[in-house]
Amino acid sequence: MITELINNTVGKHKGVSIFCGIGERSREAEELYRDIQAAGVLDNTVMIFGQMNEPPGARYLVGHAALTMAEYFRDETKQDVLLLIDNIFRFIQAGAEVSGLLGNMPSRVGYQPTLATEIAALQERISNTATGAITSIQAVYVPADDFTDPSATHTFAHLSASIILSRKRASEGLYPAVDPLLSWSKMLTPLVVGERHYKVALQVRRTLAEYEELKDIIAMLGLEELSQNDRQVVNRARRLERFFTQPFVTTEQFTGYSGRVVELEDAIEGCERILNDEFADRPESDLYMNQGNNPKDDEGSGMNKYFRKH
């Protein structure tokens, strides 16, 4: 997901991009360097790493070093900065190791007692001025998928939006494996995204939530025992789930499908038409990735091509 965001964002970004690797493997850093070079955006990219074999102090400070660089480009050269951090949990881990070396008494779940202030000291440096902005995309590892873990709660408190990846969706072959019910954004308001986008998003979430509640009944009694209205909800939800799949540019060598970028207007229109049962007579596979189409066809992804034909 991070690599695809870099591919789709850095190439269009007019400012400076900074990639901060906290506790990264040197192999991954070298691969990322070659990918950015191949994309032709290396001249506008800064890469800084505190590798996993480095002392905890180095891994802890690399995040602040990246923020210092970002602040320089924002304040001195008056540029917008895109800051990518992978992985913010390793910053917390490094802080816990430093805290242990200093002899501090561990706090809840073994974390350092200064966890909240350390996270805030880093995250609150990500801010805008009148002449430039720092926008950050961060990978967050959630220990044991427990969102009540102190590292997760303190991290998410500082974020404007979160994309939650689901092991269950990945096991079903739905990629990217984003859970639309757990993911959220503070910017999903009519004033920011517009009335139409806001209403469609709420209707989509409501449909998926109703389908989630019906799954237990379907597992025990079967789809045939549902009412006509509930069957329609299930059909819409399953088509929405497959419509949300997308072939990535960075996974072409694994999937055989060329990467696609779907415009926001197309995504909203697609959701509206699915919710209005316009594709109820079509098999679900028509909405999945590029199924049924030549994966290297330049006409577009399966759903967009289907729009043009109908």
Side-chain angles (χ1 to χ4, degrees), residues 2-310:
I2 282 284
T3 311
E4 186 72 7
L5 287 170
I6 292 172
N7 180 81
N8 295 345
T9 307
V10 173
K12 299 178 182 179
H13 185 58
K14 302 301 181 184
V16 175
S17 302
I18 299 177
F19 183 88
C20 173
I22 305 177
E24 283 290 321
R25 300 172 180 85
S26 56
R27 170 184 56 80
E28 294 173 341
E30 193 272 336
E31 289 176 356
L32 181 62
Y33 175 86
R34 283 191 284 109
D35 289 341
I36 292 176
Q37 188 177 41
V41 295
L42 191 59
D43 291 343
N44 294 323
T45 304
V46 177
M47 303 176 71
I48 179 169
F49 294 91
Q51 296 174 132
M52 62 192 313
N53 63 331
E54 300 287 343
R59 285 181 275 119
Y60 177 80
L61 290 175
V62 69
H64 287 283
L67 259 300
T68 300
M69 293 177 181
E71 289 167 344
Y72 167 81
F73 288 112
R74 181 195 64 188
D75 300 335
E76 300 299 324
T77 64
K78 314 299 182 185
Q79 292 178 282
D80 292 334
V81 181
L82 176 65
L83 174 64
L84 300 118
I85 300 177
D86 184 14
N87 184 306
I88 199 67
F89 176 73
R90 297 197 188 105
F91 168 79
I92 297 171
Q93 276 187 318
E97 292 178 46
V98 172
S99 179
L101 291 171
L102 293 174
N104 296 331
M105 184 69 69
S107 184
R108 188 161 66 97
V109 200
Y111 289 107
Q112 61 271 41
T114 53
L115 170 63
T117 54
E118 287 177 3
I119 283 286
L122 181 75
Q123 299 284 7
E124 294 305 316
R125 293 178 66 184
I126 302 171
S127 59
N128 302 343
T129 65
T131 57
I134 301 175
T135 301
S136 180
I137 299 173
Q138 304 173 13
V140 184
Y141 170 73
V142 180
D145 294 344
D146 181 11
F147 285 88
T148 63
D149 188 271
S151 66
T153 55
H154 287 295
T155 300
F156 285 124
H158 295 278
L159 304 181
S160 300
S162 68
I163 299 173
I164 308 297
L165 301 181
S166 164
R167 301 181 198 276
K168 184 175 181 295
R169 291 180 69 83
S171 67
E172 295 172 352
L174 301 174
Y175 292 102
V178 176
D179 189 323
L181 294 178
L182 291 180
S183 303
W184 55 269
S185 172
K186 295 177 182 176
M187 294 172 283
L188 186 61
T189 65
L191 291 176
V192 177
V193 301
E195 194 71 32
R196 179 193 178 207
H197 184 169
Y198 177 72
K199 287 182 177 178
V200 170
L202 288 187
Q203 196 172 352
V204 166
R205 290 175 67 92
R206 188 181 303 115
T207 301
L208 293 174
E210 289 177 8
Y211 175 46
E212 198 66 31
E213 293 176 356
L214 291 170
K215 282 184 178 179
D216 289 339
I217 299 176
I218 296 171
M220 289 186 293
L221 303 177
L223 188 63
E224 296 75 15
E225 298 301 318
L226 296 180
S227 67
Q228 185 62 32
N229 287 339
D230 286 343
R231 288 189 200 180
Q232 288 179 336
V233 168
V234 172
N235 289 335
R236 291 172 196 147
R238 289 182 61 84
R239 282 163 174 75
L240 284 169
E241 286 182 336
R242 281 143 187 81
F243 178 55
F244 290 153
T245 59
Q246 178 180 336
F248 278 4
V249 173
T250 53
T251 59
E252 287 182 10
Q253 65 271 33
F254 307 116
T255 63
Y257 295 108
S258 57
R260 304 294 184 186
V261 177
V262 181
E263 297 296 330
L264 176 62
E265 183 62 31
D266 289 339
I268 296 173
E269 181 186 356
C271 290
E272 282 182 328
R273 298 181 70 176
I274 292 170
L275 290 168
N276 292 331
D277 294 328
E278 288 191 35
F279 303 102
D281 59 334
R282 303 294 301 180
E284 297 171 359
S285 58
D286 281 1
L287 282 74
Y288 177 77
M289 298 286 188
N290 285 329
Q291 295 289 4
N293 301 308
N294 180 355
K296 297 297 182 182
D297 193 339
D298 290 333
E299 239 190 295
S301 63
M303 192 63 178
N304 287 339
K305 182 192 284 187
Y306 190 74
F307 278 163
R308 281 191 284 276
K309 286 183 178 179
H310 297 77

